[in-house]
Amino acid sequence: MYILGIETSCDDTCAAVLHDNQILSNVISSQVDLHRQWGGVVPDIAKRAHQERISPVIETSLKRAKLTIKDIDLLAVTKGPGLAIALSVGLNAAKKIALENHQKIVAVNHIEGHIMANFLTNSFGKPHRPFIFPALALTVSGGHTKIILLRGVGDYQLVGETLDDAAGEALDKSAKLLGLGYPGGPVIERLAKSGDSHYLKLPSPLADKKILDYSFSGLKTSFYYQIKDWPKDKINAHLSDLSASFQSAVFDFLLRKFSLAIEKYHPSCLLLSGGVAANLTLRKNIRTLAKKYDLPLYLPFKKELNTDNAAMIALAGYYQAQRGDYANPETLDIDSRAEL
Ligand code: KG4
Ligand code: ZN
């Protein structure tokens, strides 16, 4: 089956073509340069950029897959969660195509997309990614931080989630505080490499072992209060140490609760995904954790499959279609607060 995936939930305009679970093309038009000067995503700017880019991005994805729109069997589009006015652009484009070409359409949950990113393969079917259930997924992005238990494809249980900021959002906010620009995660990663992660002492939130949720606002506040009276040159002299300290506090917290969830739910496989999963230190740390528990670990096989992309939406859509969970293109609407 040929699937065209479309994703516009935040600030990336994305289209991808899959043949079953194999990526034939994966086009991502990032708007980071448009939002950087504002220190975060500006909804109106995102909407306009999606509108300008969606058609060329879809055309490029088909061209790279050496297909035409008539070859597509299924449209898979993100319905939410995400920015409402951004989601609408992708959803309307997908509906129009589906109606014009009499194609089936599925409305995909963005978080399910991030989880499915672990199971994508290249056009040769590599890497081999058999499903192993139950699987425990840690999904960490700019909008979400969730631990999810998968008993099968489409059978999900939310085990823990952030009560306030997402992990990526916390990294972005601390980067902003240090004057490092947007998005902060990649800059913090680069600086943290040469810093001392024990330079600042930050709290270990939600110490109660029965709680599997996250909260990053206390970390952020502690970080702010410890450096707020520092002169600019002292902050600049310690950018690496501050980045390393904050990043390591966030990652230790992520893995501390994930470990508790492993001990409670006894999964047979671990999954990591979402924009923050592009971070090499987090990847290394979770590999160590998987070894400790002697569990197989899947990570998206390419860096760009961690952050928002349409290949993950197309794969989630492929399995959704197998469950017969189609949408009506006449009435389909976004659901900006969609739950998994
Ligand atoms: O999944 P994503 O592209 O969009 C959302 O669904 O939110 O994630 C974006 C988030 C941002 O907070 C960004 O700072 C973070 O992922 N991120 C990273 C890295 N690359 C992106 N965080 C840490 N290290 C990275 N290398
Ligand atoms: Zn995302």
Side-chain angles (χ1 to χ4, degrees):
M1 176 186 272
Y2 289 111
I3 311 125
L4 173 64
I6 296 175
E7 150 68 41
T8 61
S9 69
C10 191
D11 61 344
D12 294 302
T13 315
C14 316
V17 178
L18 298 194
H19 181 230
D20 298 344
N21 64 340
Q22 301 177 355
I23 302 174
L24 303 185
S25 68
N26 187 30
V27 182
I28 301 166
S29 173
S30 167
Q31 302 173 10
V32 154
D33 290 342
L34 298 179
H35 300 287
R36 187 172 281 130
Q37 60 178 310
W38 308 103
V41 178
V42 183
D44 277 325
I45 295 177
K47 178 188 173 183
R48 210 168 328 126
H50 284 311
Q51 283 171 332
E52 284 166 14
R53 297 176 185 194
I54 190 70
S55 293
V57 163
I58 291 172
E59 277 162 30
T60 307
S61 72
L62 289 165
K63 209 164 158 190
R64 288 194 189 157
K66 300 192 175 59
L67 297 173
T68 71
I69 195 66
K70 303 276 177 213
D71 298 314
I72 297 297
D73 303 300
L74 178 72
L75 270 292
V77 63
T78 308
K79 67 169 178 200
L83 268 179
I85 59 174
L87 286 163
S88 298
V89 178
L91 197 96
N92 288 334
K95 281 164 67 169
K96 189 161 170 276
I97 295 172
L99 285 169
E100 277 173 9
N101 299 285
H102 310 287
Q103 286 145 332
K104 297 249 189 203
I105 183 167
V106 286
V108 173
N109 182 298
H110 182 79
I111 308 288
E112 182 174 9
H114 274 302
I115 296 172
M116 283 300 133
N118 290 287
F119 299 101
L120 285 162
T121 70
N122 67 16
S123 58
F124 302 103
K126 297 272 163 41
H128 182 53
R129 289 285 165 86
F131 288 121
I132 305 172
F133 296 120
L136 198 66
L138 178 61
T139 301
V140 257
S141 71
H144 319 278
T145 304
K146 293 182 194 290
I147 302 176
I148 295 156
L149 182 69
L150 289 77
R151 295 202 175 81
V153 182
D155 183 356
Y156 309 122
Q157 180 188 337
L158 182 65
V159 163
E161 65 180 333
T162 184
L163 305 173
D164 40 56
D165 292 350
E169 190 180 359
L171 291 169
D172 291 343
K173 285 181 178 168
S174 67
K176 198 170 177 180
L177 206 62
L178 298 174
L180 298 176
Y182 171 84
V187 194
I188 296 246
E189 171 174 32
R190 187 167 46 75
L191 287 165
K193 277 185 196 138
S194 54
D196 171 10
S197 61
H198 299 290
Y199 184 74
L200 271 198
K201 187 153 172 42
L202 291 162
S204 278
L206 301 180
D208 185 340
K209 290 192 167 177
K210 287 197 284 299
I211 299 174
L212 298 180
D213 291 320
Y214 294 105
S215 165
F216 292 97
S217 69
L219 272 184
K220 188 188 64 192
T221 311
S222 168
F223 188 68
Y224 169 73
Y225 277 106
Q226 291 192 58
I227 64 168
K228 78 177 174 44
D229 296 326
W230 288 18
K232 194 91 194 99
D233 53 350
K234 183 174 174 192
I235 291 190
N236 286 341
H238 289 284
L239 281 178
S240 292
D241 297 327
L242 294 171
S243 298
S245 299
F246 193 77
Q247 178 178 277
S248 112
V250 169
F251 291 175
D252 286 354
F253 187 19
L254 284 174
L255 295 189
R256 176 159 56 88
K257 293 296 180 186
F258 195 51
S259 301
L260 290 173
I262 293 171
E263 286 164 21
K264 180 165 179 190
Y265 291 97
H266 305 291
S268 303
C269 174
L270 302 179
L271 312 172
L272 175 69
S273 60
V276 183
N279 188 294
L280 293 179
T281 303
L282 181 61
R283 294 167 85 86
K284 190 175 115 228
N285 295 354
I286 200 164
R287 278 200 186 96
T288 309
L289 188 85
K291 249 189 208 133
K292 177 180 155 198
Y293 288 101
D294 196 20
L295 287 169
L297 166 71
Y298 291 168
L299 301 161
F301 78 91
K302 260 186 172 175
K303 195 164 179 167
E304 68 257 32
L305 299 176
N306 292 290
T307 43
D308 289 349
N309 66 85
M312 68 184 197
I313 301 302
L315 188 60
Y318 171 60
Y319 291 114
Q320 200 166 322
Q322 290 183 5
R323 304 196 288 274
D325 187 5
Y326 294 105
N328 178 346
E330 306 270 4
T331 55
L332 175 60
D333 203 356
I334 60 157
D335 180 359
S336 65
R337 295 174 168 275
E339 299 282 343
L340 196 60

